[in-house]
Amino acid sequence: MIMQKVVINVGDKIELTHVRSATRRKLEEHTYTSQLLEYDGLRTAKISMPISGGKIIPLEVNDEYALCFFSSSALYRCRARVIERRREENVYVLMMEFMSLPKKYQRRQFYRLDCTLSVRYRVISDEEKTLRDFLATNQFEDPALEEAYEKKLDEFSRDWQDALMTDISGGGVRFQCQQIVEPGVFVEIAIPLTFDAKNIPFKGIAKVVSRVDLPGENISEERCEFEDISKQDRELIVKYVFEEQKRRLRKESN
């Protein structure tokens, strides 16, 4: 039997994205994380069952997922089908059958970090959005007039709501809240980024691109993409995600 060149290794982190339901139910929007436990070098792999919000997620047998492997040298992607789920001692695992071989690819999206972090947000009204755009695209000869517009803008920045952020990347965030915020609406979000026990507050504008009502709870989950974020602020978030990932890996190895 000819073995394929092994490009993924035991221990590699995996992201799973739902791409096909065997029962034609709605595809899950959440991206799950897992780890490669075994690989036969061909078409079969054993991975850890994903955990989200402290709960084990038993992915449905025969459902198909896009798998992204974070190897030590590059990122690899393939499509796979869940063929079995079981418990081995105290570990819940999934057996996956690859429908395509892992291939190297250039990831354009930012790595998303799963988290549980209390944040604050507020909805930006159409009036405020118009005023922001006006201030950003106009020069004022009268400083008093510009100051008046700036003061009006400050008046909008008061109605903050609590939320629970569930993932973050350099491209955006996902958070849960009790207020329904429809796709297309802009929000300002305040996130306490922590570096070595030091908090660096971040505020940014984001656009809601999708929302999901969570079953059994009066809570919706909002997925947002950052808008007009500066290079410095984006690099700050990417650094936070990277540092937090390293901290978790160190904690797991101890």
Side-chain angles (χ1 to χ4, degrees):
M1 181 181 294
I2 299 175
M3 298 286 286
Q4 299 289 336
K5 180 182 178 182
V6 177
V7 295
I8 58 176
N9 299 280
V10 171
D12 285 350
K13 184 180 179 299
I14 310 169
E15 278 191 357
L16 300 93
T17 303
H18 199 194
V19 294
R20 181 179 178 275
S21 168
T23 57
R24 297 185 178 181
R25 72 182 190 282
K26 183 179 179 181
L27 297 182
E28 302 163 20
E29 292 192 5
H30 192 77
T31 298
Y32 297 112
T33 58
S34 178
Q35 188 175 38
L36 183 62
L37 303 178
E38 292 180 13
Y39 177 45
D40 67 356
L42 291 170
R43 298 279 183 175
T44 306
K46 181 195 295 184
I47 69 174
S48 60
M49 201 171 290
I51 297 177
S52 179
K55 297 180 180 180
I56 295 174
I57 309 299
L59 305 186
E60 294 293 332
V61 173
N62 291 324
D63 276 14
E64 296 174 14
Y65 287 80
L67 272 57
C68 177
F69 295 87
F70 294 77
S71 76
S72 58
S73 58
L75 299 177
Y76 292 87
R77 183 171 60 180
C78 73
R79 185 162 172 156
R81 180 171 64 94
V82 181
I83 57 176
E84 185 183 356
R85 59 188 189 192
R86 62 175 182 251
R87 178 177 178 178
E88 296 182 353
E89 296 182 352
N90 293 324
V91 180
Y92 290 88
V93 301
L94 297 170
M95 298 303 299
M96 308 293 294
E97 179 184 50
F98 291 174
M99 305 174 70
S100 61
L101 295 176
K103 292 184 178 180
K104 185 176 180 180
Y105 84 109
Q106 183 66 35
R107 184 183 176 99
R108 295 183 179 179
Q109 295 181 334
F110 295 95
Y111 171 69
R112 287 188 292 180
L113 177 75
D114 288 332
C115 59
T116 304
L117 184 64
S118 295
V119 298
R120 303 182 73 209
Y121 78 97
R122 65 180 189 86
V123 173
I124 295 177
S125 65
D126 291 340
E127 182 183 359
E128 179 182 352
K129 183 68 169 54
T130 300
L131 181 56
R132 283 180 174 274
D133 293 341
F134 181 76
L135 286 169
T137 56
N138 287 272
Q139 293 183 342
F140 295 87
E141 296 181 358
D142 184 356
L145 180 60
E146 182 176 12
E147 183 179 350
Y149 280 127
E150 293 284 359
K151 184 177 180 181
K152 177 64 176 178
L153 190 61
D154 288 339
E155 293 176 0
F156 287 110
S157 306
R158 295 175 182 176
D159 190 18
W160 289 87
Q161 307 289 330
D162 294 327
L164 184 67
M165 186 172 70
T166 55
D167 74 38
I168 181 173
S169 75
V173 299
R174 192 189 306 260
F175 65 84
Q176 297 176 1
C177 62
Q178 294 183 324
Q179 181 182 17
I180 295 177
V181 187
E182 297 293 350
V185 172
F186 287 86
V187 297
E188 184 176 17
I189 185 165
I191 307 171
L193 303 178
T194 303
F195 296 90
D196 297 325
K198 180 181 178 181
N199 285 334
I200 299 179
F202 165 84
K203 283 186 179 180
I205 305 298
K207 182 179 181 179
V208 178
V209 294
S210 68
R211 61 171 289 269
V212 177
D213 292 326
L214 299 183
E217 303 178 44
N218 188 26
I219 295 176
S220 65
E221 185 174 69
E222 315 287 338
R223 184 168 68 87
C224 310
E225 292 180 355
F226 289 127
E227 290 278 331
D228 299 326
I229 185 173
S230 69
K231 180 180 179 181
Q232 181 179 1
D233 281 345
R234 196 185 299 277
E235 289 177 348
L236 179 67
I237 294 174
V238 171
K239 180 182 178 182
Y240 167 77
V241 170
F242 180 70
E243 293 294 333
E244 179 63 16
Q245 179 68 8
K246 285 200 306 181
R247 185 191 69 80
R248 294 182 186 182
L249 290 173
R250 287 196 298 266
K251 185 177 180 180
E252 291 174 1
S253 62
N254 292 335

